[in-house]
Amino acid sequence: MTESGVQALGAYEVGRLAGAVLDSVGSVVVGKRDSLELVLAGILAGGHVLLEDLPGLGKTLTARSFAQALGLDFRRLQFTPDLLPADVTGSFLYDQRKGDFAFRAGPVFTNMLLADEINRTPPKTQSALLEAMQEKQVSVEGVTYRLDPPFHVLATANPIEYEGTYPLPEAQLDRFMLRVSFGYPTADEEWEVLQRRMSRRQEETYLTPVVDAATLQSMQAALEAITVEDSIGRYIVSLTAATREHASVLVGSSPRGSLALLLLARARAAMAGRDFVVPEDVKDVAGPALAHRITLRPEMWLRRVDPSFVVDEVLQATPAPASGALPTYATGHPTA
C-alpha cells in the first residue's frame, strides 16, 4: 500500500488489465494498437498526452474511448480563438439567493479532460491548464482548489502548419509526458472502419468500463515497484543529454524528459506484466517522450528536419546497456 493509502497491484495483474483496456479501446479505434499502447502508458505513468495529427484520424474518439474503458468521469472542452481562461478553470458568479459570490467549477474538474484542438486558442487560455496539469490544482481569485485524482489531460492538436492554429509554448509542451500521432490508416483498416460503422447501425459508440478510477490508481501505484537497474537509468540520462548536444538542436530536452522516459519505461514494463525495465522499454517511448521537447535550429526547418529524426539518431548513437547492474537507490535485490 502506498503512502496515499492506494493498494498497489502486482505487475502481472496490471498487464492483464491493461491488455483488456487496450482490447476494449481497439474495438472502436481500428488498427492503431501501438499508438494506443503509448497513450495508455502515459495514463498509467500519471501524465498527460498530446495527440497531434490531422483532423479525422481518431484523436477525439481515442480520448473518449479511454475515458469509458477506464471508468473515468469525462469532460470535453473545445478550444476556440475566443475561449477565456475562466471557461477552463471556472469562475465566481453572484448568487442572488445567497447574496454572495459562489464558485462554479469549470470543465477542468474531472478525471479525464479532453482539450480538443488545444492549439486553436491563444496562449493566455492555453496557459490556464498549466497549473492544473503540473500541480493538480486550480487557483481562482486567490482561492486554490485541489483536483481529485486521477486527473489526466488528453489534448488534441492539429499540425502547426494547419490554418488557424497557434504553436504551443515550450513550457506547455513540456507538461505533456508524451506526444502521439496516429497517421492515416491502411486501405484494409479504413474498410474495417466502414464495416464496423455499418454493423452497429448507429453513429455513437459506448464502451463498458473495464476498470474504475480506484483500480486505475492501483495500477498506477504498481509502477513504483518496477525495478530500474542503474545501467538503464544512466542510459536514460545519456539519451536525454545527447539531445542537447546534437548539431541540429538549439535547445534539447530538459530533465523532465529523463523523468518522462523513466516513468513511461516503467509503465511499458508493467503493461508487459514485468516488474523490471529492459532497454527496449526505453527505446519504445523515446521518440514520443523526447521529440516534442526539442527545439531545432531555424535552418533545420528549411531542410525539413523533424525532431523525431534527431531522437532516432540519438538512439542509434547511444549504446544500450547490458542487463545485470543492480539498483543503488533501493535496498534489496530486484525480482527476476
Side-chain angles (χ1 to χ4, degrees):
M1 183 175 292
T2 64
E3 293 181 0
S4 60
V6 177
Q7 182 67 48
L9 298 177
Y12 175 80
E13 183 65 10
V14 173
R16 185 187 68 80
L17 292 174
V21 169
L22 289 169
D23 289 342
S24 178
V25 176
S27 68
V28 176
V29 183
V30 178
K32 303 298 179 185
R33 183 79 177 198
D34 291 344
S35 297
L36 297 180
E37 288 179 354
L38 288 171
V39 174
L40 182 56
I43 294 172
L44 290 179
H48 311 288
V49 182
L50 179 62
L51 307 175
E52 185 178 87
D53 221 322
L54 294 168
L57 297 182
K59 304 184 297 295
T60 301
L61 177 63
T62 296
R64 186 173 65 247
S65 298
F66 267 112
Q68 292 175 352
L70 294 171
L72 301 180
D73 182 47
F74 174 74
R75 293 190 184 182
R76 178 179 182 269
L77 181 60
Q78 185 68 44
F79 280 71
T80 57
D82 60 349
L83 196 72
L84 299 175
D87 297 326
V88 178
T89 61
S91 60
F92 282 92
L93 299 177
Y94 186 73
D95 189 335
Q96 292 184 344
R97 291 178 298 180
K98 296 182 179 179
D100 197 2
F101 286 90
F103 179 67
R104 179 173 293 180
V108 74
F109 288 86
T110 186
N111 294 136
M112 182 172 288
L113 175 68
L114 169 58
D116 212 1
E117 296 187 298
I118 191 173
N119 61 340
R120 283 197 183 277
T121 199
K124 183 177 182 180
T125 304
Q126 292 173 359
S127 65
L129 275 178
L130 283 179
E131 182 183 12
M133 293 172 65
Q134 185 65 28
E135 307 296 336
K136 306 298 175 67
Q137 66 183 29
V138 170
S139 297
V140 180
E141 300 291 339
V143 182
T144 299
Y145 300 91
R146 298 293 301 177
L147 300 175
D148 294 331
F151 172 72
H152 301 279
V153 174
L154 266 60
T156 71
N158 296 314
I160 59 174
E161 299 85 1
Y162 207 72
E163 185 177 357
T165 60
Y166 301 82
L168 292 177
E170 287 79 2
Q172 184 160 353
L173 274 175
D174 206 29
R175 289 328 194 264
F176 287 101
M177 185 169 286
L178 74 168
R179 181 178 62 183
V180 180
S181 298
F182 289 94
Y184 285 109
T186 64
D188 289 340
E189 290 169 350
E190 194 163 355
W191 170 231
E192 187 175 350
V193 171
L194 302 185
Q195 286 180 309
R196 293 187 183 185
R197 172 60 182 86
M198 289 185 290
S199 65
R200 68 174 178 264
R201 299 189 178 186
Q202 63 180 20
E203 183 64 29
E204 295 299 321
T205 60
Y206 179 78
L207 300 179
T208 302
V210 177
V211 298
D212 56 18
T215 305
L216 174 61
Q217 288 182 274
S218 295
M219 295 170 69
Q220 293 171 332
L223 269 58
E224 296 301 328
I226 303 298
T227 299
V228 181
E229 296 176 352
D230 285 3
S231 58
I232 294 179
R234 291 194 172 276
Y235 177 54
I236 290 173
V237 172
S238 297
L239 287 175
T240 308
T243 66
R244 306 165 194 157
E245 301 166 359
H246 195 280
S248 301
V249 173
L250 182 64
V251 180
S253 173
S254 67
R256 191 178 279 126
S258 297
L259 184 60
L261 277 180
L262 172 67
L263 297 175
L264 288 168
R266 277 179 153 180
R268 293 287 288 189
M271 290 169 63
R274 285 184 276 105
D275 59 0
F276 58 93
V277 172
V278 296
E280 285 69 25
D281 295 325
V282 179
K283 295 178 183 179
D284 288 344
V285 300
L290 297 180
H292 65 291
R293 293 182 162 91
I294 294 174
T295 302
L296 296 176
R297 296 185 181 277
E299 61 269 22
M300 293 299 108
W301 291 105
L302 299 177
R303 301 179 187 177
R304 296 186 180 276
V305 175
D306 188 89
S308 61
F309 300 159
V310 173
V311 178
D312 290 341
E313 291 182 356
V314 165
L315 284 171
Q316 294 175 9
T318 307
S323 182
L326 299 179
T328 57
Y329 60 87
T331 57
H333 298 284
T335 56

